[in-house]
Amino acid sequence: MNERIDIKEISAEMMLNYLYPELGNKWIARHKGTFYRNYNKDVVNFDVKNGEVTITRDGFLKLLPQALITLDDELKNKDLKEKIEAIRRNKCLLDETFLPFDTFAFRNSLRIERQVSDLLNQKIDFILKNYFYYDLSAETDKYVKELAVMLPFVSCLRGNFGFISDVLAALLGYEVSMHTGRYSFNDDTLNWLPMVRYEIMAENLEVNEYKDLNKNIKGLCDFIREWFMPFDMHVEILIKHHKQPFTLGGKLTLDYNTEIKC
């Protein structure tokens, strides 16, 4: 069973560092309290324009004695409504008083999260370079660069045909169909190889667009064959269009929307 990431478990530091790395030391953090955590994610809301984030955590105010919020002198000789308003007013004043402390602590957490993230990225680069002899920083193919970070798990992923189908769909943004069977170079039923074929459903491409897409994914296809497929596997990764009805005089591209069968 595939495990799904629960968005509620993503910390505010991780999310904000990823989405807005340039605002790391500018966020103002308002702590709403852990009471809200039972039915909210870590970040309740954030305002990029004003640089404010509201999180479901306890701030420094929670460390203070309750008596600092409900001052007996202020509540004497007041009815219930006035007492409630006085308590709210005191709490708002204290929230604003401790806002700089809460903000300083949150910015420090942002900085630590960013440092940890950088260290983990360096760890991946180190593993790829020293154990797989692969320099990620020198890679220029954007698709290969995305997939290369999975090399440390290649022993578990090699031959996982469904995983490759999902990877192609995610990286290229097209629907991908997968077919398995047998392949023979000379139609000999005695000498065949196991075969897997992926068809990338890129519809309505012009001839030049088809050629460009083939050229752009060549590095990715070679990388998949080299690292994620068994050595004795015949692998085909094709760009196809199956939804175009055949019409005389229509635009036909060999191996894309047209096949020659003997």
Side-chain angles (χ1 to χ4, degrees):
M1 186 188 334
N2 294 328
E3 294 185 0
R4 295 183 178 273
I5 298 175
D6 188 353
I7 191 72
K8 293 182 179 181
E9 298 302 321
I10 297 179
S11 70
E13 292 86 350
M14 178 179 291
M15 186 180 73
L16 294 178
N17 272 327
Y18 181 78
L19 295 176
Y20 306 101
E22 71 282 1
L23 298 179
N25 203 36
K26 298 179 181 179
W27 288 107
I28 297 173
R30 297 189 179 276
H31 292 58
K32 204 165 182 66
T34 53
F35 169 78
Y36 293 88
R37 179 63 64 87
N38 292 330
Y39 52 92
N40 274 307
K41 49 187 177 292
D42 193 26
V43 178
V44 178
N45 56 63
F46 59 91
D47 182 350
V48 178
K49 183 178 179 180
N50 295 316
E52 290 192 2
V53 57
T54 303
I55 55 180
T56 55
R57 302 180 194 173
D58 290 336
F60 281 98
L61 184 58
K62 288 290 184 180
L63 302 177
L64 298 178
Q66 190 69 20
L68 288 180
I69 301 177
T70 56
L71 301 177
D72 293 337
D73 292 339
E74 289 190 22
L75 300 182
K76 287 180 179 179
N77 302 320
K78 292 183 178 180
D79 59 24
L80 180 60
K81 183 177 180 180
E82 290 177 325
K83 290 180 179 179
I84 292 175
E85 289 299 324
I87 292 173
R88 287 177 177 172
R89 184 172 58 254
N90 286 333
K91 187 177 185 306
C92 287
L93 290 173
L94 288 170
D95 281 337
E96 293 301 317
T97 300
F98 282 89
L99 182 61
F101 299 97
D102 291 336
T103 296
F104 175 81
F106 182 73
R107 289 178 180 176
N108 190 53
S109 295
L110 278 171
R111 180 179 57 81
I112 294 173
E113 172 66 31
R114 188 163 53 249
Q115 290 176 345
V116 170
S117 179
D118 291 341
L119 286 173
L120 290 176
N121 288 333
Q122 293 174 15
K123 177 182 176 182
I124 292 176
D125 291 342
F126 178 85
I127 291 174
L128 293 179
K129 185 176 292 185
N130 290 276
Y131 290 89
F132 294 90
Y133 305 102
Y134 183 85
D135 188 357
L136 187 63
S137 62
E139 182 58 64
T140 58
D141 189 306
K142 62 179 182 179
Y143 298 130
V144 174
K145 200 160 190 171
E146 291 285 339
L147 183 55
V149 296
M150 300 303 295
L151 283 179
F153 310 99
V154 72
S155 60
C156 301
L157 295 175
R158 184 180 287 114
N160 188 333
F161 305 139
F163 167 75
I164 295 302
S165 180
D166 292 340
V167 164
L168 289 170
L171 290 179
L172 304 179
Y174 295 110
E175 180 183 348
V176 177
S177 65
M178 181 184 70
H179 310 273
T180 57
R182 298 178 179 183
Y183 179 83
S184 175
F185 291 96
N186 54 8
D187 293 328
D188 188 346
T189 58
L190 297 178
N191 299 296
W192 55 268
L193 293 174
M195 183 270 295
V196 60
R197 181 173 68 251
Y198 298 99
E199 295 186 353
I200 303 166
M201 304 301 183
E203 311 293 341
N204 303 314
L205 296 181
E206 298 292 335
V207 174
N208 290 336
E209 293 175 328
Y210 169 74
K211 290 180 178 179
D212 288 343
L213 183 56
N214 253 325
K215 181 180 178 180
N216 291 338
I217 68 172
K218 184 181 184 304
L220 175 63
C221 296
D222 293 341
F223 189 81
I224 289 173
R225 290 188 182 96
E226 178 181 0
W227 288 102
F228 291 92
M229 290 294 167
F231 75 96
D232 60 343
M233 195 85 184
H234 179 78
V235 182
E236 296 180 353
I237 303 177
L238 309 171
I239 303 170
K240 291 291 184 180
H241 181 180
H242 292 312
K243 297 180 180 180
Q244 176 176 321
F246 176 78
T247 57
L248 292 175
K251 295 182 180 180
L252 303 178
T253 304
L254 189 61
D255 290 334
Y256 173 56
N257 56 10
T258 306
E259 295 179 1
I260 296 178
K261 294 187 177 180
C262 300

